[in-house]
Amino acid sequence: MNIEEVREYCLTKPGATEDMPFGEGYVTLRVGGKIFCCLVLDRGPLAQLKWSPDEFDEIIVKCLWVTQAWHWHKRHMIQFDCSDPTVDDAVASSLIDRAYNYVLSRLPKRIKSEITEPKSRK
């Protein structure tokens, strides 16, 4: 998955938005206002994903191309290089799904229901 494919995939998630709060070199993707992915353009291309601290060690061992994200909290963000040919697209998609779902699960119930429940017609 190249960095544009990662961005496009993230934006297919319900309620996903993007912005550039850290400048032109970084694109953040959010759900419910919370970051689940940060794309690093000027030091990468890197995809940095929000991660459960309880699963941090497991993913670092399981996927050798995944590392701790260099400038985020040490056990809450992982990253992979989008230009690395050893990165498996299906696994990368799965990691994005897990990051999105992790952040979504931690949102307040009201916000989560606004994102996940279909809008009623009036």
Side-chain angles (χ1 to χ4, degrees):
M1 263 186 152
N2 67 41
I3 199 153
E4 186 58 32
E5 291 169 329
V6 170
R7 177 186 165 273
E8 289 172 5
Y9 185 73
C10 288
L11 288 172
T12 67
K13 302 292 179 194
T17 60
E18 70 179 332
D19 61 0
M20 298 176 91
F22 308 125
E24 292 184 15
Y26 302 87
V27 176
T28 60
L29 295 124
R30 301 171 186 260
V31 60
K34 303 292 183 182
I35 297 172
F36 70 93
C37 180
C38 180
L39 302 177
V40 181
L41 308 175
D42 63 353
R43 294 184 185 216
L46 301 173
Q48 300 176 325
L49 304 170
K50 182 76 172 175
W51 208 253
S52 167
D54 297 336
E55 298 176 356
F56 183 84
D57 292 329
E58 172 189 336
I59 199 63
I60 297 294
V61 170
K62 183 178 176 184
C63 296
L64 299 178
W65 42 268
V66 172
T67 60
Q68 183 267 325
W70 60 273
H71 71 293
W72 296 91
H73 188 281
K74 302 298 183 220
R75 297 186 61 81
H76 289 272
M77 294 289 278
I78 60 171
Q79 72 181 14
F80 64 89
D81 185 338
C82 296
S83 65
D84 183 344
T86 65
V87 174
D88 180 89
D89 287 358
V91 176
S93 296
S94 175
L95 295 178
I96 294 165
D97 293 345
R98 286 177 66 179
Y100 171 85
N101 289 327
Y102 176 68
V103 172
L104 183 66
S105 73
R106 298 173 58 84
L107 293 175
K109 187 175 181 179
R110 179 186 57 79
I111 295 172
K112 190 183 329 180
S113 67
E114 289 173 3
I115 294 167
T116 59
E117 294 176 7
K119 309 256 188 288
S120 61
R121 296 181 187 198
K122 292 185 179 185

